[in-house]
């Protein structure tokens, strides 16, 4: 069932009729077996870091933390001050919590072992993009945090943990994102549906506002950096031409929306229907987005919401990662649109229904 904001909104100030993120995790305990106490604490740690990051983003102009640090990260991207703050807060929260034995971040060259002598029942590995779309921070546009959670087998040697943790996305036990938009939302899955929580800044709690999210099949929005069109393959250009035709059933036309912040573009498309694409380009021959902390977590979310994620030929969640910062082309969104994209990219565009 897709969420409708007008459906029985709670009366203002009536907090008894809404559920906090922590209550939700405890209440749904039996519905996802991996939701042990340790897992609940791990999610709490991520949500605490999200609140601190949110606090910094909301005061960014005042605190003068906008702009670059003067350093570049391992991927030759200029780091912004907020990138560093977000990375530090996530690492701190996960280190303090003690449930996580390994992290991998977009802002760090290598995975970092946190607690080699982990005594927690589970040994969680968490991969994250601390501040996705961070070029948007200087212009007051929305950004996000993305996270991906795996469990490691017991008794993993510290030196082996990195290799053991690089597993296909289908093995994630949970994934989610935080969207710092006109409100701040925490959206996650444990492989049993997708639920969205909105931060009530007055009480500092994430409240369940978007239960059981399902991505509409509608050809509503498409998100791609079309400035790169000269780099796109003829098959991809054909797909774009097809996409822009009127829907043969409804007569509706697709709209273009590209914020340049994957979390924000993904979140909008999840609510409205549509797709996000970052194909291979001359600048990024393997695609721009990273498998472990961008494509995989969003792929798990979109599949749990009834959508699909592909590199154009293969399901994202089946890709075997070789290294932490590996990139992949990405086509993600409503299932019929991703199926059509794959058909065009694989030279089967003529089979796609409604092709004019
Ligand atoms: P980042 O993680 O360094 O911010 O890079 C990923 C971002 C995505 O959020 C966004 O969709 C894309 O890069 C925008 O790239 P481009 O400016 O090439 O369109
Ligand atoms: Mg990113």
């Amino acid at each position: 069932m897709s969420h409708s904001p007008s459906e029985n909104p709670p009366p203002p100030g009536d907090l008894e009729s809404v559920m906090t993120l922590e209550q939700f995790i405890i209440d749904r305990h039996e519905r996802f077996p991996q939701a042990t106490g340790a897992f609940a604490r791990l999610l709490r740690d991520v949500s605490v870091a999200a609140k601190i990051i949110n606090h910094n983003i909301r005061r960014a102009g005042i605190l003068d933390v906008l702009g670059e640090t003067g350093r570049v990260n391992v991927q030759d991207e200029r780091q912004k001050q907020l990138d560093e703050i977000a990375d530090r807060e996530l690492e701190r929260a996960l280190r303090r919590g003690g449930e996580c034995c390994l992290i991998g971040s977009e802002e760090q060259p290598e995975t970092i072992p946190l607690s080699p002598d982990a005594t927690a029942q589970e040994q969680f590995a968490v991969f994250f993009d601390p501040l996705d779309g961070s070029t948007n921070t200087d212009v007051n546009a929305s950004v996000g945090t993305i996270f991906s959670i795996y469990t490691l087998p017991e008794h993993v040697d510290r030196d082996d943990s990195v290799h053991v943790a690089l597993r296909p996305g289908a093995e994630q036990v949970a994934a989610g994102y935080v969207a710092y938009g006109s409100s701040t939302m925490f959206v996650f899955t444990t492989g049993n549906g997708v639920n969205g929580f909105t931060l009530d800044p007055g009480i500092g709690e994430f409240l369940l506002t978007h239960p059981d999210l399902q991505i509409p099949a509608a050809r509503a929005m498409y998100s791609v950096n079309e400035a790169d069109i000269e780099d796109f393959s003829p098959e991809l250009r054909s797909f774009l031409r097809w996409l822009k035709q009127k829907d043969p059933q409804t007569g509706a036309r697709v709209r273009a929306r590209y914020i340049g912040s994957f979390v924000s573009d993904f979140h909008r498309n999840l609510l409205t229907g549509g797709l996000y694409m970052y194909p291979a380009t001359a600048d990024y021959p393997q695609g721009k987005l990273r498998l472990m902390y961008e494509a995989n977590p969003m792929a798990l979310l979109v599949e749990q919401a009834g959508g699909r994620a592909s590199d154009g030929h293969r399901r994202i969640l089946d890709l075997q990662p070789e290294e932490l910062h590996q990139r992949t082309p990405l086509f993600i969104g409503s299932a019929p649109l991703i199926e059509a994209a794959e058909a065009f990219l694989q030279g089967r565009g003529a089979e796609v229904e409604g092709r004019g």
Side-chain angles (χ1 to χ4, degrees):
M1 186 186 66
S2 63
H3 168 82
S4 157
S6 59
E7 268 170 27
N8 303 323
D14 178 9
L15 290 181
E16 278 187 21
S17 55
V18 288
M19 187 179 275
T20 67
L21 177 60
E22 283 195 35
Q23 282 168 335
F24 179 87
I25 295 165
I26 294 163
D27 283 14
R28 298 284 176 104
H29 199 277
E30 67 285 359
R31 282 179 53 184
F32 39 94
Q34 71 274 39
T36 58
F39 179 76
R41 288 194 294 278
L42 181 77
L43 270 186
R44 181 209 52 205
D45 297 340
V46 175
S47 74
V48 168
K51 288 180 203 172
I52 298 172
I53 296 167
N54 178 63
H55 183 63
N56 279 284
I57 291 170
R58 299 296 174 207
R59 297 187 308 153
I62 300 164
L63 290 177
D64 197 21
V65 291
L66 292 174
E68 293 172 5
T69 60
R71 288 181 282 279
V72 292
N73 67 13
V74 66
Q75 299 162 70
D76 272 345
E77 295 163 342
R78 291 201 292 265
Q79 275 184 325
K80 312 211 63 123
Q81 304 219 28
L82 277 168
D83 281 324
E84 276 197 0
I85 291 172
D87 185 52
R88 187 182 67 217
E89 293 304 335
L90 272 162
E91 180 178 338
R92 269 190 193 158
L94 293 170
R95 203 180 272 284
R96 213 167 30 223
E99 318 298 339
C100 175
C101 60
L102 186 88
I103 58 170
S105 164
E106 177 177 329
E107 298 305 328
Q108 304 288 344
E110 307 285 348
T111 47
I112 302 174
L114 291 190
S115 49
D117 306 318
T119 50
Q121 247 182 328
E122 282 85 1
Q123 296 193 314
F124 291 105
V126 182
F127 297 91
F128 50 85
D129 179 352
L131 202 63
D132 178 61
S134 57
T135 50
N136 278 320
T137 51
D138 285 348
V139 295
N140 202 12
S142 49
V143 289
T145 294
I146 312 174
F147 62 91
S148 158
I149 303 177
Y150 290 79
T151 46
L152 300 183
E154 276 179 48
H155 312 303
V156 177
D157 188 68
R158 180 185 168 127
D159 295 331
D160 288 342
S161 58
V162 177
H163 308 292
V164 176
L166 288 179
R167 305 293 308 150
E171 295 181 26
Q172 293 169 101
V173 294
Y177 62 85
V178 188
Y180 311 98
S182 45
S183 60
T184 300
M185 284 196 64
F186 189 99
V187 179
F188 81 103
T189 183
T190 52
N192 197 344
V194 178
N195 291 281
F197 299 77
T198 303
L199 183 65
D200 182 332
I203 58 169
E205 292 280 1
F206 285 106
L207 303 177
L208 179 63
T209 49
H210 295 61
D212 297 326
L213 278 165
Q214 287 287 303
I215 183 166
R219 201 193 293 196
M221 303 288 175
Y222 79 101
S223 310
V224 67
N225 194 337
E226 231 164 337
D228 292 331
I229 195 155
E230 294 301 321
D231 292 348
F232 294 173
S233 65
E235 291 81 9
L236 180 52
R237 287 194 229 176
S238 298
F239 170 65
L240 281 168
R241 277 196 296 277
W242 171 83
L243 190 62
K244 293 173 190 179
Q245 292 169 12
K246 280 188 182 164
D247 186 310
Q249 260 101 49
T250 65
R253 270 193 194 284
V254 72
R255 314 305 300 162
R257 295 285 187 278
Y258 190 71
I259 299 172
S261 161
F262 177 38
V263 170
S264 313
D265 282 314
F266 177 90
H267 181 70
R268 185 203 48 252
N269 296 352
L270 177 64
L271 298 183
T272 62
L275 82 165
Y276 170 99
M277 301 170 258
Y278 209 113
T281 64
D283 285 348
Y284 298 104
Q286 308 301 322
K288 184 178 182 190
L289 297 194
R290 274 56 55 113
L291 180 61
M292 292 304 291
Y293 43 79
E294 294 177 318
N296 269 342
M298 297 307 221
L300 186 65
L301 282 157
V302 87
E303 286 200 4
Q304 284 295 313
R308 290 192 56 182
S310 168
D311 70 355
H313 299 270
R314 293 163 299 175
R315 180 182 178 230
I316 291 290
L317 293 179
D318 289 336
L319 300 179
Q320 174 63 51
E322 306 293 337
E323 50 127 357
L324 173 61
H325 299 294
Q326 181 172 330
R327 297 178 194 265
T328 177
L330 180 61
F331 299 82
I332 187 165
S334 303
L337 297 180
I338 303 305
E339 281 155 21
E342 282 186 324
F344 275 94
L345 292 168
Q346 295 168 17
R348 298 182 284 106
E351 296 168 14
V352 176
E353 198 192 338
R355 189 169 187 208

